[in-house]
Amino acid sequence: MPAFHFANPHYATTVGLSRYFVAKQMTQPDPDDVVRSRIALLKDYSPAYTQLSYALDLMQAGKASLPQTYQWLTYELEIWKSKGH
């Protein structure tokens, strides 16, 4: 996993930003066009198609709820922290 970390050093940061975005959506929802543009920015920040991109795609398509996405992002951050990243 450390090799993946160096291949994509911004992944943990992008997960954190995505988690903030999802939490904001749960408390203060933005219009769909704003959501789409923010998701596009998050994907641009981490260009490789990762589990994060997949999770955001599922959320945007309505196949994963905001709480489910937030829970996954929290879990993903905890994994990275436990590995010392």
Side-chain angles (χ1 to χ4, degrees):
M1 200 64 170
F4 179 73
H5 172 71
F6 290 117
N8 194 354
H10 302 293
Y11 183 75
T13 302
T14 307
V15 171
L17 289 170
S18 300
R19 186 173 173 250
Y20 170 79
F21 161 69
V22 171
K24 185 188 173 307
Q25 273 303 110
M26 287 192 292
T27 58
Q28 300 172 354
D30 284 318
D32 286 340
D33 57 335
V34 174
V35 171
R36 281 193 302 276
S37 66
R38 288 187 177 155
I39 288 175
L41 286 173
L42 289 167
K43 286 182 179 181
D44 286 347
Y45 192 66
S46 181
Y49 193 80
T50 60
Q51 291 175 328
L52 173 63
S53 298
Y54 181 67
L56 293 174
D57 285 345
L58 288 176
M59 183 191 78
Q60 191 174 14
K63 295 181 180 178
S65 68
L66 288 170
Q68 287 172 322
T69 306
Y70 183 82
Q71 182 180 10
W72 180 83
L73 292 167
T74 301
Y75 175 73
E76 189 74 1
L77 279 177
E78 288 174 6
I79 289 173
W80 278 76
K81 287 179 185 177
S82 72
K83 293 183 179 187
H85 298 291

